[in-house]
Amino acid sequence: MKTKINLDSWNRKEHFLFFKQMEEPFYGLTTRVDCTLAYAKAKELGVSFFNFYLFKTLKAVNACEPFRLRIIDNDPWIFERIDASATIMREDQTFGFSLMKYHPDLDTFNTIALQEIKRIQGTSGLLTREFPHENLIHFSSIPWVDFQGLSHARGFSYPDSCPKISYGKMIDENGKKTMAISVHVHHGLVDGIHVGKFLECLQEYLND
């Protein structure tokens, strides 16, 4: 379900209209998250760490209202639920775009994720199914690189407003595990304060 934002009464009207007209309205930043407790919890539960931190990320996305905003036909809308399109690697070192629907229960979400990973690994090509185009985050993991910055391939003519969240290689220093995280968002919908609140929320969920 989605609800159209009343632009005339929205306190972000000017911000939305200002950034929406730009050829590149996205901006991004890179920081680190502490995943020490999250990694231990995933191992304790027998859940793959990738599925675990994807679940925590989606939980934070759905808890942060600006990350549920999308632009449809030039108007802002807010979605009730946001899912993930995550890149899934195959044995031949190609990847496919998945669709993993968010569920607030970890066991249920893990089952959904495992089924979709298995499906992707049994296919070839990039686009292996139909996708909703709005209520998604674009999610990727680059576990081979401890990056300090990240950019994304973008078609500027495509009306995209989905956040893009990527994780890097996990680094262990003196028993503390951290990962780089890159967050790219549409500035007409999400400001720096909102990214900050999202990252605070994410860290709380990773520590929970």
Side-chain angles (χ1 to χ4, degrees), residues 71-123:
I71 301 172
I72 304 172
D73 295 330
N74 292 313
D75 292 316
W77 293 70
I78 185 164
F79 280 85
E80 192 173 279
R81 189 193 76 214
I82 300 297
D83 302 321
S85 177
T87 56
I88 301 300
M89 184 67 70
R90 304 184 181 97
E91 287 188 6
D92 66 359
Q93 297 187 356
T94 65
F95 69 87
F97 292 135
S98 69
L99 174 59
M100 297 182 181
K101 294 184 178 181
Y102 174 65
H103 194 284
D105 175 70
L106 172 60
D107 289 340
T108 302
F109 176 79
N110 188 48
T111 298
I112 292 169
L114 289 173
Q115 290 174 346
E116 182 67 349
I117 290 170
K118 182 178 180 180
R119 187 191 69 79
I120 290 288
Q121 291 175 340
T123 64

Side-chain angles (χ1 to χ4, degrees), residues 125-136:
L126 190 62
L127 301 171
T128 64
R129 64 178 300 162
E130 293 294 322
F131 287 89
H133 294 292
E134 294 95 9
N135 69 318
L136 294 174

Side-chain angles (χ1 to χ4, degrees), residues 55-195:
F55 169 74
K56 295 292 187 176
T57 303
L58 273 177
K59 186 175 180 179
V61 164
N62 279 278
C64 296
E65 183 175 295
F67 278 71
R68 292 188 282 116
L69 293 169
R70 299 292 181 271
I71 301 172
I72 304 172
D73 295 330
N74 292 313
D75 292 316
W77 293 70
I78 185 164
F79 280 85
E80 192 173 279
R81 189 193 76 214
I82 300 297
D83 302 321
S85 177
T87 56
I88 301 300
M89 184 67 70
R90 304 184 181 97
E91 287 188 6
D92 66 359
Q93 297 187 356
T94 65
F95 69 87
F97 292 135
S98 69
L99 174 59
M100 297 182 181
K101 294 184 178 181
Y102 174 65
H103 194 284
D105 175 70
L106 172 60
D107 289 340
T108 302
F109 176 79
N110 188 48
T111 298
I112 292 169
L114 289 173
Q115 290 174 346
E116 182 67 349
I117 290 170
K118 182 178 180 180
R119 187 191 69 79
I120 290 288
Q121 291 175 340
T123 64
S124 61
L126 190 62
L127 301 171
T128 64
R129 64 178 300 162
E130 293 294 322
F131 287 89
H133 294 292
E134 294 95 9
N135 69 318
L136 294 174
I137 57 167
H138 298 151
F139 187 91
S140 57
S141 174
I142 310 173
W144 314 278
V145 182
D146 180 30
F147 58 75
Q148 295 182 332
L150 185 71
S151 63
H152 290 275
R154 292 232 316 126
F156 291 163
S157 62
Y158 181 76
D160 181 18
S161 59
C162 297
K164 302 165 197 323
I165 300 175
S166 303
Y167 284 86
K169 182 179 182 178
M170 185 170 64
I171 301 298
D172 191 329
E173 293 181 330
N174 300 317
K176 180 180 180 180
K177 293 177 170 61
T178 65
M179 289 191 299
I181 179 173
S182 169
V183 182
H184 282 72
V185 289
H186 192 296
H187 211 335
L189 304 175
V190 184
D191 293 332
I193 188 172
H194 306 129
V195 176

